Amino acid sequence: MRPGTQNALTDVAGLRVGHAALTGGLSGTTVVVCPPGGAAAGVDVRGAAPGTRETDLLRPGTTVDRVHAIVLSGGSAYGLAAADGVMLRLEAAGEGFAVPGGPVPIVPAAVLFDLGRGGDFGARPTAETGAAAYDAAQAGAVAQGVVGAGVGAAAGGLKGGVGTASAVLPDGTTVAALVVVNAVGSAVDPATGELHGARHGFPDEFPQLIASPAAVQEALVRRGAPRPGTATSLAVVATDATLDKAGCGRLATVAHDGYARAIDPVHTLMDGDTIFALATGERPAPSGEELFAIHSAAATVVSRAVAHGMLAAETVTTPAGHWPAFRDLVG
């Protein structure tokens, strides 16, 4: 097994990723655009405080079997409006579920809490932010860190952000993930100063960086007592294998193991942790043994993506608070 060319979600051919940030606040939106015609999708919500849109239709047995984009956004429940802009862009491109009169793009979305972190509670993504993220979507390298939905993200009192990773299995199947790290829990072991997720990387994938344990613990203290609904990590995991909605749902379920390896604690009362899964179907349906390998890789790429998001993050200070980057605590 090896990383893909970009070590990113876009190593799954046909997927594009775009980011947009607010100009007057600390928030933003990230969109994953599917290939023409859409992709099979599933979802698994494990946190107790989620904010989501169009997740019911991802259940097996519902009519729609393809989605056309996934939106991950800041702004808490207000940020769900970003999906409107993505829908309009897809409609203009002729993408969507065919109904009399035109297409209806299927755009599931999930949001994280970052309200007020820039100092203005009213600064949150809108349909225009979603449209800007769609317009910026491209294949190839994916910007990480304080971009898109990761602009206002924080984890364990440190600056969070967007991270991504991929793996190509021995049979050629690609599995990849994009994560927005925004958790009550810490992505860093406060006893050792090591990133939990980096332990699951390929040789030489992650630099041997160790933060000051005292600084990590200080950040946790500065975070203060967690409050319900004030966190949430979001992810999209994808493969080029052929899976149906049930298979994508199972892929999302197993991918949550990657959160558990990379964030401690996770799936709490304060988080709304959500993972979407996409299958583009460029490769045949896997055998049982092949599916086991895809599931295993999904959990690993999520853990690695969390670590990349923390490594790429930069220190941010606003009138509302100070979030040091992991890199700045290395001594």
Side-chain angles (χ1 to χ4, degrees), residues 11-292:
D11 286 324
V12 176
L15 297 183
R16 296 183 288 131
V17 174
H19 303 297
L22 300 187
T23 56
L26 198 68
S27 190
T29 298
T30 295
V31 61
V32 177
V33 182
C34 298
V43 68
D44 192 328
V45 180
R46 292 295 181 89
T52 59
R53 168 173 168 163
E54 297 280 47
T55 52
D56 281 353
L57 59 75
L58 299 182
R59 296 198 312 265
T62 54
T63 300
V64 174
D65 62 357
R66 313 285 284 181
V67 305
H68 304 94
I70 301 288
V71 168
L72 310 177
S73 186
S76 191
Y78 294 105
L80 290 170
D84 292 339
V86 176
M87 283 189 69
L88 291 174
R89 288 292 196 265
L90 286 163
E91 179 189 24
E95 287 290 324
F97 183 77
V99 299
V104 177
I106 306 300
V107 184
V111 292
L112 57 83
F113 184 93
D114 57 10
L115 292 174
R117 286 183 180 163
D120 180 2
F121 187 87
R124 54 234 184 187
T126 63
E128 287 72 24
T129 318
Y134 179 92
D135 292 343
Q138 59 184 8
V142 175
Q144 301 182 76
V146 187
V147 294
V151 168
L158 301 180
K159 188 68 187 78
V162 172
T164 189
S166 70
V168 180
L169 307 186
D171 68 357
T173 300
T174 300
V175 182
L178 181 144
V179 176
V180 189
V181 190
N182 185 67
V184 166
S186 179
V188 185
D189 187 336
T192 66
E194 299 174 281
L195 285 165
H196 294 302
R199 301 166 186 171
H200 302 279
F202 289 109
D204 301 322
E205 181 176 7
F206 295 103
Q208 298 299 309
L209 298 179
I210 298 178
S212 161
V216 175
Q217 292 166 12
E218 179 184 345
L220 285 168
V221 171
R222 188 187 307 112
R223 177 201 65 190
R227 292 172 293 172
T230 56
T232 297
S233 291
L234 307 174
V236 175
V237 61
T239 180
D240 53 4
T242 296
L243 301 174
D244 59 13
K245 281 200 290 186
C248 287
R250 174 53 55 182
L251 184 63
T253 294
V254 178
H256 272 283
D257 292 349
Y259 275 165
R261 297 171 187 170
I263 302 169
D264 184 23
V266 73
H267 304 145
T268 73
L269 178 67
M270 289 73 178
D271 297 279
D273 301 323
T274 299
I275 295 182
F276 294 99
L278 296 172
T280 62
E282 291 299 311
R283 295 178 59 84
S287 66
E289 183 178 345
E290 291 166 340
L291 186 57
F292 180 88

